[in-house]
Amino acid sequence: MGRRYSSVAIALHWLVALLLIANLAIGIGHDWLKDSLAINAMPLHKSFGISILALSLLRLGWRLAHRPPPLPAGMSALTRRIAHATHMAFYGIMIAMPLSGWVFVSAGRYPLSWFGLVDLPKFAVEKGSGAVLFSRAAHELLGWMTVALVAAHVAAALYHHLLRRDDVLAAMLPRLRARRA
């Protein structure tokens, strides 16, 4: 087994990461975009969310079928458990957050369209129902949890690369080569 993720795993990681960060910015800043720049970014936010859901399911399937490279031998058992829990939290959020948004917008009058190319079916929910209210609150909470998780993930990657000087980051960056022992 190699010390790097596969090219497919790396491509999916960075594609989802870019979409996720852009979508967080749109979601958090949508009122400002609308009020200050007269831009309704919600159709893009919804399309990115559906893309994140599909790519995350693909990524999860790939991960289940392809083992990741081993963690550095010097990592403590606690650090390994934290790394595993963080990855599982990411998969859970990358699936749950788009689904909660999908439920929320299903009660609205506008179609749920993927980049204007395909209209997606809506969930059978009533506006003002408990499911819609819960999904809206969950969507917002998951968004802020994602911000915290992304910050922790980036900090951990930089910690491994700059302080521990191991190859954790090199395993996921396309052009960064592993250090020689």
Side-chain angles (χ1 to χ4, degrees):
M1 181 184 335
R3 307 269 319 151
R4 295 179 56 80
Y5 285 89
S6 69
S7 297
V8 171
I10 291 170
L12 287 170
H13 173 274
W14 290 107
L15 182 56
V16 170
L18 290 172
L19 285 171
L20 190 66
I21 290 167
N23 223 25
L24 285 168
I26 293 169
I28 291 168
H30 73 276
D31 286 337
W32 180 84
L33 288 167
K34 192 170 188 175
D35 296 343
S36 301
L37 302 177
I39 296 172
N40 181 6
M42 291 315 289
L44 185 61
H45 180 75
K46 294 172 189 176
S47 294
F48 279 4
I50 295 301
S51 300
I52 291 166
L53 175 62
L55 290 168
S56 295
L57 291 170
L58 179 62
R59 187 173 172 202
L60 180 59
W62 185 267
R63 172 76 181 257
L64 293 173
H66 299 84
R67 294 189 64 144
L71 294 171
M75 284 179 74
S76 71
L78 176 62
T79 303
R80 288 173 185 276
R81 284 194 293 274
I82 291 170
H84 180 72
T86 300
H87 284 102
M88 292 305 104
F90 261 122
Y91 283 111
I93 281 177
M94 292 183 309
I95 294 167
M97 190 161 45
L99 286 175
S100 67
W102 194 341
V103 170
F104 173 60
V105 301
S106 289
R109 61 184 175 153
Y110 299 107
L112 177 57
S113 176
W114 185 72
F115 296 108
L117 300 173
V118 177
D119 285 343
L120 299 169
K122 291 185 172 189
F123 292 105
V125 294
E126 297 289 324
K127 188 173 185 168
S129 71
V132 172
L133 297 175
F134 174 78
S135 67
R136 180 178 185 169
H139 192 70
E140 291 176 8
L141 177 63
L142 289 168
W144 289 111
M145 289 172 61
T146 304
V147 169
L149 201 55
V150 166
H153 188 64
V154 169
L158 292 173
Y159 165 77
H160 278 279
H161 188 69
L162 299 173
L163 298 177
R164 286 190 51 108
R165 303 187 58 79
D166 59 28
D167 292 328
V168 168
L169 184 59
M172 187 49 82
L173 281 176
R175 290 195 163 85
L176 188 61
R177 298 289 171 223
R179 293 179 168 95
R180 293 181 185 234

